[in-house]
Amino acid sequence: MTKTLEEHLEGIDSELASLILKISSIANAISNELPYRRGKANTKNVFGELQLVVDKWADQFLINELRKSGLVKTVASEEQPDLVKLNEEGIFNITLDPLDGSSNIESNNLVGTIVGIYKKDLPTQGKHQIAAMYILYGPVTTLVYTAQNGVHEFLHTKKGFVFREESIKLPEPGKLYGIGGLRKDWLPSFRKYVEELEMEGYKLRYGGAFVGDFNQVLHYGGLFAYPALTTNPNGKLRLLVESNPISFIAREAEGASTNGKCSILEVEPEHIDQRIPTYIGNKNLIEKLEKILR
Ligand code: F6P
Ligand code: MN
């Protein structure tokens, strides 16, 4: 019989299992609302990006539902300028990218929800996560999580989230690469590195949603980057809500991450809305890249 997410979570700490299940049900409700919550909200988030109706709604919905769960103490969300306090008695502190890749909404390409889970107070280094997960709203809605027990994937069906693949590891050698930013703005050393990847046969696939672009690296191996740019030395992605949870999942899947100098998980955040150059993929690719960028 196919295992459900709930059954798969039986082996882990019961409160953490409840939190992961709660987030999975909220995400499913978000997926159901995507056809209806359309259009621009005419407001900007703390990063100066125009918000969509669905960005704001997903953020509020997640925060309200998590507040009701009583499990969460504090949330750092991409859509909120400050940490949001939920329950003094809560056990977990979490980071949220409620709707990653929301510029893909208009063209009906991939979007997703990214969550980092901590017991330590935020902000702190990504290596202190106890679990991380994402939900990808694609042709099929999928959920990927790790609670430091390997990386596991579930498919959303009429029976809820059911098991698809256990202990996923980035395939070796990898096949793909996806890189954000304008090529003319990449650092020359990075551009040369990418040319070498192309010569080795890595194929370009870039979809414009971090969660989707990483998900293909998880399944086919290779490299995702939103690199340091000559115009933006810190790149685009947010350390707390984007790069840390995905780096944590990549590490559990025997991949690696770097900001060009060290693992992203080692970076001490200075503020909650910090951006970071992000390179994630197979270990050998990241090691070689770090030598070039250091
Ligand atoms: O959240 C930021 C984000 O939407 C990521 O999901 C994605 O990797 C990136 O921005 C895409 O940026 P660009 O539109 O510059 O390719
Ligand atoms: Mn995002």
Side-chain angles (χ1 to χ4, degrees):
M1 209 183 70
T2 320
K3 242 190 192 177
T4 62
L5 174 63
E6 191 165 3
E7 286 160 346
H8 195 268
L9 290 168
E10 272 165 15
I12 71 166
D13 168 77
S14 62
E15 279 153 338
L16 180 57
S18 303
L19 178 65
I20 293 173
L21 271 179
K22 179 73 195 168
I23 294 168
S24 76
S25 70
I26 304 172
N28 189 43
I30 292 176
S31 157
N32 290 337
E33 288 292 319
L34 291 177
Y36 309 109
R37 312 237 172 214
R38 312 295 296 178
K40 297 190 178 77
N42 290 325
T43 50
K44 286 185 178 171
N45 66 13
V46 64
F47 302 99
E49 298 163 341
L50 258 187
Q51 291 172 302
L52 301 180
V53 169
V54 70
D55 281 324
K56 289 180 84 169
W57 174 79
D59 181 55
Q60 272 314 313
F61 184 64
L62 269 157
I63 289 177
N64 291 342
E65 291 297 309
L66 289 170
R67 181 178 281 119
K68 282 192 242 161
S69 78
L71 290 163
V72 180
K73 199 166 156 194
T74 310
V75 171
S77 165
E78 179 173 317
E79 304 302 334
Q80 300 287 338
D82 302 304
L83 290 173
V84 183
K85 294 203 180 337
L86 299 191
N87 285 286
E88 208 31 63
E89 273 70 58
I91 307 159
F92 303 105
N93 295 304
I94 72 173
T95 65
L96 280 184
D97 184 348
L99 208 59
D100 177 57
S102 50
S103 66
N104 273 353
I105 288 281
E106 185 62 24
S107 56
N108 195 29
N109 287 338
L110 296 181
V111 291
T113 297
I114 308 175
V115 186
I117 305 176
Y118 299 76
K119 284 201 168 163
K120 275 194 127 183
D121 286 345
L122 295 173
T124 186
Q125 290 155 296
K127 68 178 178 187
H128 297 306
Q129 286 167 100
I130 57 163
M133 63 194 284
Y134 60 82
I135 297 99
L136 184 62
Y137 311 115
V140 177
T141 295
T142 57
L143 180 151
V144 169
Y145 91 92
T146 180
Q148 299 172 87
N149 56 347
V151 174
H152 315 296
E153 185 176 44
F154 299 80
L155 296 177
H156 193 259
T157 69
K158 285 181 187 150
K159 293 183 187 152
F161 281 102
V162 300
F163 178 70
R164 180 184 179 218
E165 200 178 337
E166 190 150 56
S167 303
I168 305 175
K169 301 199 172 35
L170 270 66
E172 196 67 68
K175 288 197 175 78
L176 308 173
Y177 75 92
I179 302 172
L182 296 176
R183 192 174 272 248
K184 73 173 178 58
D185 297 333
W186 296 352
L187 305 180
S189 55
F190 181 64
R191 207 159 25 184
K192 189 160 167 286
Y193 170 87
V194 177
E195 277 163 18
E196 283 169 21
L197 280 186
E198 287 163 347
M199 294 305 287
E200 285 168 33
Y202 284 82
K203 266 196 193 166
L204 167 64
R205 276 205 203 167
Y206 184 72
F210 183 29
V211 65
D213 286 326
F214 171 71
N215 194 61
Q216 65 183 3
V217 169
L218 180 67
H219 289 285
Y220 298 126
L223 177 82
F224 168 84
Y226 209 111
L229 303 174
T230 50
T231 46
N232 275 324
N234 292 327
K236 180 176 186 191
L237 298 182
R238 275 57 54 137
L239 171 61
L240 256 74
V241 302
E242 298 180 311
S243 304
N244 268 338
I246 299 293
S247 298
F248 193 71
I249 291 170
R251 190 184 69 183
E252 272 293 313
E254 295 187 357
S257 69
T258 183
N259 63 352
K261 295 191 177 71
C262 64
S263 162
I264 288 175
L265 298 169
E266 294 293 329
V267 175
E268 189 79 61
E270 284 161 21
H271 45 91
I272 62 165
D273 48 6
Q274 186 169 334
R275 295 179 195 261
I276 188 157
T278 297
Y279 311 85
I280 301 179
N282 289 64
K283 231 182 219 167
N284 62 326
L285 297 184
I286 297 295
E287 278 167 8
K288 183 174 166 204
L289 178 59
E290 233 176 36
K291 282 191 196 124
I292 291 166
L293 293 178
R294 257 196 194 133

CSV table of all heavy atoms in Angstrom, one decimal, residues 131-152:
chain,number,residue,atom,x,y,z
A,131,ALA,N,14.8,21.1,10.3
A,131,ALA,CA,14.0,20.5,9.2
A,131,ALA,C,13.8,21.6,8.1
A,131,ALA,O,13.9,22.8,8.5
A,131,ALA,CB,12.7,19.9,9.6
A,132,ALA,N,13.6,21.2,6.9
A,132,ALA,CA,13.2,22.1,5.9
A,132,ALA,C,12.4,21.4,4.8
A,132,ALA,O,12.4,20.2,4.7
A,132,ALA,CB,14.5,22.7,5.2
A,133,MET,N,11.5,22.2,4.1
A,133,MET,CA,10.6,21.6,3.2
A,133,MET,C,10.2,22.6,2.1
A,133,MET,O,10.4,23.8,2.3
A,133,MET,CB,9.4,21.1,3.9
A,133,MET,CG,8.6,22.1,4.6
A,133,MET,SD,7.3,21.5,5.7
A,133,MET,CE,6.1,20.9,4.6
A,134,TYR,N,9.8,22.1,1.0
A,134,TYR,CA,9.1,22.9,0.0
A,134,TYR,C,8.0,22.2,-0.7
A,134,TYR,O,8.0,21.0,-0.7
A,134,TYR,CB,10.1,23.5,-1.0
A,134,TYR,CG,10.8,22.5,-1.9
A,134,TYR,CD1,10.3,22.0,-3.0
A,134,TYR,CD2,12.1,22.2,-1.6
A,134,TYR,CE1,11.0,21.1,-3.9
A,134,TYR,CE2,12.9,21.3,-2.4
A,134,TYR,CZ,12.3,20.8,-3.5
A,134,TYR,OH,13.0,19.9,-4.3
A,135,ILE,N,7.0,23.0,-1.1
A,135,ILE,CA,5.9,22.4,-1.9
A,135,ILE,C,6.0,23.1,-3.2
A,135,ILE,O,6.1,24.3,-3.3
A,135,ILE,CB,4.6,22.7,-1.2
A,135,ILE,CG1,4.5,22.0,0.2
A,135,ILE,CG2,3.4,22.2,-2.0
A,135,ILE,CD1,4.8,22.8,1.3
A,136,LEU,N,5.9,22.3,-4.3
A,136,LEU,CA,6.0,22.8,-5.6
A,136,LEU,C,4.6,22.7,-6.3
A,136,LEU,O,4.1,21.5,-6.4
A,136,LEU,CB,7.0,21.9,-6.4
A,136,LEU,CG,7.4,22.3,-7.8
A,136,LEU,CD1,8.0,23.7,-7.8
A,136,LEU,CD2,8.4,21.2,-8.3
A,137,TYR,N,4.1,23.8,-6.7
A,137,TYR,CA,2.8,23.8,-7.4
A,137,TYR,C,3.0,23.6,-8.9
A,137,TYR,O,3.1,24.6,-9.6
A,137,TYR,CB,2.0,25.0,-7.0
A,137,TYR,CG,1.9,25.3,-5.5
A,137,TYR,CD1,2.5,26.5,-5.0
A,137,TYR,CD2,1.4,24.4,-4.6
A,137,TYR,CE1,2.5,26.7,-3.7
A,137,TYR,CE2,1.4,24.7,-3.3
A,137,TYR,CZ,1.9,25.8,-2.8
A,137,TYR,OH,2.0,26.1,-1.5
A,138,GLY,N,3.2,22.4,-9.3
A,138,GLY,CA,3.5,22.1,-10.7
A,138,GLY,C,2.4,21.4,-11.4
A,138,GLY,O,1.2,21.4,-10.8
A,139,PRO,N,2.6,20.7,-12.5
A,139,PRO,CA,1.6,19.9,-13.1
A,139,PRO,C,1.0,18.9,-12.0
A,139,PRO,O,-0.2,18.7,-12.0
A,139,PRO,CB,2.3,19.1,-14.1
A,139,PRO,CG,3.5,19.9,-14.5
A,139,PRO,CD,3.9,20.6,-13.2
A,140,VAL,N,1.8,18.5,-11.1
A,140,VAL,CA,1.4,17.8,-9.9
A,140,VAL,C,2.0,18.6,-8.7
A,140,VAL,O,3.1,19.0,-8.8
A,140,VAL,CB,1.9,16.3,-9.8
A,140,VAL,CG1,1.5,15.6,-8.5
A,140,VAL,CG2,1.4,15.5,-11.0
A,141,THR,N,1.2,18.7,-7.6
A,141,THR,CA,1.8,19.4,-6.5
A,141,THR,C,2.6,18.4,-5.7
A,141,THR,O,2.1,17.3,-5.4
A,141,THR,CB,0.7,20.0,-5.6
A,141,THR,OG1,0.0,21.0,-6.3
A,141,THR,CG2,1.2,20.6,-4.3
A,142,THR,N,3.9,18.7,-5.5
A,142,THR,CA,4.8,17.8,-4.7
A,142,THR,C,5.3,18.4,-3.5
A,142,THR,O,5.3,19.7,-3.4
A,142,THR,CB,6.0,17.3,-5.6
A,142,THR,OG1,6.7,18.5,-6.0
A,142,THR,CG2,5.5,16.5,-6.8
A,143,LEU,N,5.6,17.6,-2.5
A,143,LEU,CA,6.2,18.1,-1.3
A,143,LEU,C,7.5,17.4,-1.1
A,143,LEU,O,7.6,16.1,-1.2
A,143,LEU,CB,5.2,17.8,-0.1
A,143,LEU,CG,5.6,18.2,1.3
A,143,LEU,CD1,4.3,18.5,2.1
A,143,LEU,CD2,6.4,17.2,2.0
A,144,VAL,N,8.5,18.1,-0.7
A,144,VAL,CA,9.9,17.6,-0.4
A,144,VAL,C,10.2,18.0,1.0
A,144,VAL,O,10.1,19.2,1.3
A,144,VAL,CB,10.9,18.1,-1.5
A,144,VAL,CG1,12.3,17.7,-1.0
A,144,VAL,CG2,10.6,17.5,-2.8
A,145,TYR,N,10.6,17.1,1.8
A,145,TYR,CA,11.1,17.5,3.2
A,145,TYR,C,12.3,16.7,3.6
A,145,TYR,O,12.5,15.6,3.1
A,145,TYR,CB,9.9,17.3,4.2
A,145,TYR,CG,9.9,16.0,4.9
A,145,TYR,CD1,10.5,15.8,6.1
A,145,TYR,CD2,9.2,14.9,4.4
A,145,TYR,CE1,10.5,14.6,6.8
A,145,TYR,CE2,9.2,13.7,5.0
A,145,TYR,CZ,9.8,13.5,6.2
A,145,TYR,OH,9.8,12.3,6.8
A,146,THR,N,13.0,17.3,4.6
A,146,THR,CA,14.0,16.6,5.3
A,146,THR,C,13.9,17.0,6.8
A,146,THR,O,13.7,18.2,7.1
A,146,THR,CB,15.4,16.8,4.9
A,146,THR,OG1,16.3,16.0,5.7
A,146,THR,CG2,15.9,18.3,4.9
A,147,ALA,N,13.9,16.0,7.6
A,147,ALA,CA,14.0,16.3,9.1
A,147,ALA,C,15.3,15.6,9.5
A,147,ALA,O,15.4,14.9,10.5
A,147,ALA,CB,12.8,15.7,9.8
A,148,GLN,N,16.4,15.8,8.7
A,148,GLN,CA,17.7,15.3,8.9
A,148,GLN,C,17.6,13.7,8.8
A,148,GLN,O,18.4,13.0,9.5
A,148,GLN,CB,18.3,15.7,10.2
A,148,GLN,CG,18.5,17.2,10.2
A,148,GLN,CD,18.9,17.8,11.5
A,148,GLN,OE1,20.1,17.8,11.9
A,148,GLN,NE2,18.0,18.1,12.4
A,149,ASN,N,16.7,13.2,8.1
A,149,ASN,CA,16.5,11.8,7.9
A,149,ASN,C,16.5,11.4,6.5
A,149,ASN,O,15.8,10.5,6.0
A,149,ASN,CB,15.1,11.4,8.6
A,149,ASN,CG,14.0,12.2,8.0
A,149,ASN,OD1,14.2,13.2,7.3
A,149,ASN,ND2,12.7,11.7,8.2
A,150,GLY,N,17.3,12.2,5.7
A,150,GLY,CA,17.2,12.0,4.2
A,150,GLY,C,16.2,13.0,3.6
A,150,GLY,O,15.5,13.7,4.3
A,151,VAL,N,16.1,13.0,2.3
A,151,VAL,CA,15.2,13.9,1.6
A,151,VAL,C,14.1,13.0,0.9
A,151,VAL,O,14.5,12.1,0.2
A,151,VAL,CB,16.0,14.7,0.5
A,151,VAL,CG1,15.0,15.6,-0.3
A,151,VAL,CG2,17.0,15.6,1.3
A,152,HIS,N,12.9,13.4,1.2
A,152,HIS,CA,11.8,12.5,0.7
A,152,HIS,C,10.8,13.3,-0.1
A,152,HIS,O,10.5,14.5,0.3
A,152,HIS,CB,11.1,11.8,1.9
A,152,HIS,CG,12.1,11.3,2.9
A,152,HIS,ND1,13.0,10.3,2.6
A,152,HIS,CD2,12.4,11.7,4.2
A,152,HIS,CE1,13.8,10.0,3.6
A,152,HIS,NE2,13.5,10.9,4.6
